[in-house]
Amino acid sequence: MIDPATISPAFVVWLAAALALLGRRVGAVAGITACGVATWWVLTVPAGTSGEWTFLEFAIIPVAVDPASRVTGLAFVAFGVVAVGYLSVTGADCWHLTAALTYAGAALWAVFAGDWLGLLVGWELMALASTLLVWLHGGDAVRVGFRYALVHAIGGALLAAGLAMHVVAQGGADALHFGDGIAGGLPALTVAAGVGINAALIGVHVWLPDTYASPHVGASVVLSAYTTKLAVYAAYRAFPEGNLALAYVGGVMAVFGASYALAQKDARRLLAYHIQAQVGYILAGIGIGSALGIAGAFAHLFNNVLFKGLLFMVAGLIVIRAGTGKLDSGGRLGRSSPLLVGAFLVAAASITAVPGTNGFVSKGMVLDAALEGGHTPLRWLLLIGAVGTIVSFCKFGYYASRRGEDHLLSDATPAQAITMIPIAVACLAIGLWYDPFFDLLPARGDWSTDPYSQRHLLEKVALFAVGVIAFVIGRPLLERLEGGVDVDAVRDPLIFEGTRTLAAGVALVFSAVSAADHGLRRRAFAAATDPVHVIARRLPDEAGERYRERSREIAGTIGIGPNRRYRYAALVVCLAVALLIGVGPR
């Protein structure tokens, strides 16, 4: 009998992906069932490693369960239940369901793989499936999907190159196991660059808002849960003891993402920039490297999947009802849509860390880790990012309910509400009864925290006061912002012109080398076929003429005149003799 603990839950989800090709209803039932079974597996499977495969003399571990993989995998499969349902009730077809389930299964495979090779396989399969999920919407999503595919191909190549250098540096059959992380130096830098692309680090992040605002609204919900979260999980595996540079990069991302979200009027672009901001919090916790920091990072990873997914669900229904994602166009949320308004309020409260929500608990853990570690500048960066998040969602709520056309948007259907309500309940439940959730987190016995301490509550009151005042004062400025100018406005032209200049330079060099080669071969052939003429040209005029006359006299005395046929025949004979000497037996 096969032990279920040795089989990755990815296979169950992939089976559902295949069944989804039979039709949307079959795919929805199969997907929800598969994610439910996988959730049970994640909660009950014992910790440790199971099974071992051999590939190119490397020992590959298909299943490895520890607190980090368990909490990440639980977020993926539990959210997958409602994400598949949301896809189905918002009009996605069977191809969307197949691509989404393949994508989710690849993420599960990567999380529960016990080595870098397994993670890399899941990483690349995720890139393929998510690109297809974007392309299926057609229109502008196809163009955006090509850019998305190119960016992730570069990230995957860098990750693979870094892992190859790590194997060379470490040596041994166990080099691909996670162990103590990636070898320092160039392997660590290369792996960090590959992971950073998927984590939407500043400078390589523009794929995130461009892509997540383009596909089917259900696809945006699915995309919000996996790619960036797997990237920060990989960052933990690469730097399990922490890395302060990574922590401060996360702090800057928290500020940068929230700042650019303020400039957006498109709902899904605003939320995509906040994915970058929240990933910044997670990277900060991982980078700090303390037990509390890592636990807070994985707590926030789990919570971010929930509240960000719920926000994308709300945004998706606004797009469906209003026909546009622009918050200052279309209709308004209000009394006609109490379920949508309620879901938005819970999700917005969670991402802005209102007491009583899951975001309040996990953000407080990361901030406490920064305080305990003495990283005051990092903590200030995270607090500034928190203020920006508060202002952003004041703007989201204000525009969604007070701007745009006068007509009110209709509410979520009962089927749509069923996919949203469980997430809202989970956001509140974790925020109020957090002890069972804490037991799932890494190194539970090595850290402690009091989420509702007086300092936490007073700090949150101060942050909200600053955020609300900043929104009221800055609203006229926010009115004039329409997306802003991101780094791609400078980066892409520089890369294009730089690449074109480099290509022209390379072509010029090759042209010069080709011309020189052609000239050299022409002169060598002339010297071989008419040496008298070549030698005579190098001599003074009078000496050259005497040399020509003398050569004609000598040629005449031996019976061979200056006939080209004789010269060619002599050349062929010489080449044949050289060839026979060169390849003959020794």
Side-chain angles (χ1 to χ4, degrees):
M1 182 176 179
I2 298 176
D3 184 357
T6 65
I7 302 175
S8 172
F11 288 106
V12 178
V13 180
W14 285 333
L15 175 61
L19 292 175
L21 294 173
L22 299 177
R24 188 176 70 181
R25 290 186 178 179
V26 173
V29 172
I32 291 171
T33 302
C35 289
V37 170
T39 301
W40 169 83
W41 184 95
V42 173
L43 287 172
T44 58
V45 68
T49 60
S50 301
E52 186 173 300
W53 304 342
T54 301
F55 179 77
L56 298 178
E57 299 184 359
F58 290 103
I60 305 303
I61 300 173
V63 175
V65 182
D66 63 10
S69 61
R70 193 188 300 275
V71 74
T72 305
L74 182 60
F76 286 177
V77 292
F79 183 76
V81 173
V82 292
V84 169
Y86 185 86
L87 263 173
S88 179
V89 298
T90 51
D93 59 23
C94 62
W95 292 102
H96 283 91
L97 288 167
T98 295
L101 288 166
T102 303
Y103 176 43
L108 278 178
W109 171 268
V111 165
F112 286 109
D115 54 83
W116 283 108
L117 184 58
L119 188 148
L120 181 63
V121 170
W123 185 282
E124 293 300 327
L125 185 56
M126 278 182 63
L128 292 173
S130 57
T131 299
L132 178 61
L133 187 60
V134 174
W135 279 343
L136 286 171
H137 193 56
D140 288 341
V142 175
R143 175 186 56 81
V144 172
F146 273 109
R147 183 185 189 182
Y148 176 84
L150 176 62
V151 168
H152 288 293
I154 294 171
L158 287 171
L159 177 60
L163 294 178
M165 289 186 282
H166 168 72
V167 170
V168 172
Q170 296 290 98
D174 295 333
L176 283 174
H177 294 176
F178 291 135
D180 296 327
I182 295 296
L186 190 58
L189 288 174
T190 309
V191 167
V195 169
I197 288 176
N198 274 28
L201 262 63
I202 298 171
V204 290
H205 67 278
V206 182
W207 64 266
L208 183 64
D210 285 353
T211 304
Y212 286 26
S214 300
H216 185 279
V217 295
S220 294
V221 171
V222 176
L223 290 168
S224 72
Y226 297 108
T227 298
T228 54
K229 311 312 179 294
L230 181 64
V232 293
Y233 172 83
Y236 167 71
R237 294 302 184 188
F239 306 102
E241 303 299 323
N243 184 297
L244 275 183
L246 185 68
Y248 277 90
V249 166
V252 174
M253 285 174 63
V255 177
F256 185 93
S259 300
Y260 267 87
L262 291 172
Q264 310 307 311
K265 289 188 173 70
D266 183 281
R268 289 191 289 177
R269 285 185 67 86
L270 185 152
L271 295 178
Y273 274 110
H274 270 294
I275 289 179
Q276 184 190 37
Q278 301 309 308
V279 164
Y281 266 87
I282 301 169
L283 288 177
I286 292 172
I288 291 169
S290 65
L292 180 58
I294 291 172
F298 279 97
H300 202 58
L301 183 156
F302 185 96
N303 291 336
N304 187 42
V305 169
L306 297 182
F307 58 65
K308 188 55 61 63
L310 183 56
L311 284 166
F312 268 101
M313 289 180 175
V314 172
L317 293 183
I318 291 175
V319 171
I320 292 173
R321 302 289 188 269
T324 177
K326 298 289 187 180
L327 291 171
D328 57 346
S329 305
R332 303 177 183 177
L333 296 178
R335 296 177 182 175
S336 63
S337 49
L339 289 174
L340 272 179
V341 171
F344 167 74
L345 290 176
V346 171
S350 298
I351 195 171
T352 55
V354 171
T357 64
N358 57 354
F360 174 75
V361 172
S362 55
K363 279 190 175 182
M365 295 171 70
V366 176
L367 289 168
D368 280 354
L371 182 64
E372 290 180 3
H375 308 300
T376 302
L378 173 62
R379 192 168 187 274
W380 275 106
L381 286 172
L382 297 175
L383 291 173
I384 293 169
V387 172
T389 302
I390 292 168
V391 178
S392 294
F393 284 93
C394 286
K395 174 183 175 177
F396 191 118
Y398 173 78
Y399 272 78
S401 61
R402 305 290 296 176
R403 299 297 304 274
E405 299 176 7
D406 290 336
H407 72 273
L408 297 177
L409 298 177
S410 57
D411 206 0
T413 66
Q416 292 165 351
I418 288 173
T419 66
M420 300 166 69
I421 291 174
I423 305 178
V425 171
C427 288
L428 297 175
I430 294 173
L432 295 172
W433 297 283
Y434 44 81
D435 283 331
F437 177 59
F438 281 179
D439 291 337
L440 295 174
L441 299 176
R444 180 62 184 99
D446 298 332
W447 56 270
S448 63
T449 184
D450 180 7
Y452 290 92
S453 67
Q454 185 181 50
R455 177 175 57 80
H456 281 153
L457 294 172
L458 292 177
E459 183 177 76
K460 189 54 59 179
V461 169
L463 291 175
F464 269 94
V466 173
V468 172
I469 292 171
F471 172 71
V472 173
I473 296 174
R475 198 174 70 189
L477 174 62
L478 298 178
E479 296 275 1
R480 295 195 292 270
L481 296 177
E482 186 64 53
V485 179
D486 210 332
V487 296
D488 57 332
V490 176
R491 183 198 63 197
D492 290 356
L494 283 177
I495 292 176
F496 177 78
E497 294 297 336
T499 304
R500 186 167 68 173
T501 302
L502 179 63
V506 171
L508 184 64
V509 170
F510 273 95
S511 177
V513 171
S514 177
D517 174 66
H518 178 72
L520 181 62
R521 287 187 287 109
R522 180 174 52 81
R523 288 191 293 272
F525 185 76
T529 57
D530 193 0
V532 172
H533 179 67
V534 173
I535 295 172
R537 287 178 56 190
R538 298 294 187 274
L539 298 173
D541 292 343
E542 185 176 350
E545 187 59 33
R546 288 200 305 269
Y547 182 78
R548 288 190 182 92
E549 291 177 0
R550 183 61 177 163
S551 68
R552 285 193 292 269
E553 293 173 0
I554 294 175
T557 60
I558 63 175
I560 301 176
N563 192 310
R564 286 183 181 273
R565 286 180 298 176
Y566 294 115
R567 294 172 186 160
Y568 288 140
L571 179 62
V572 170
V573 171
C574 291
L575 291 175
V577 171
L579 182 62
L580 289 173
I581 293 174
V583 301
R586 296 176 180 241

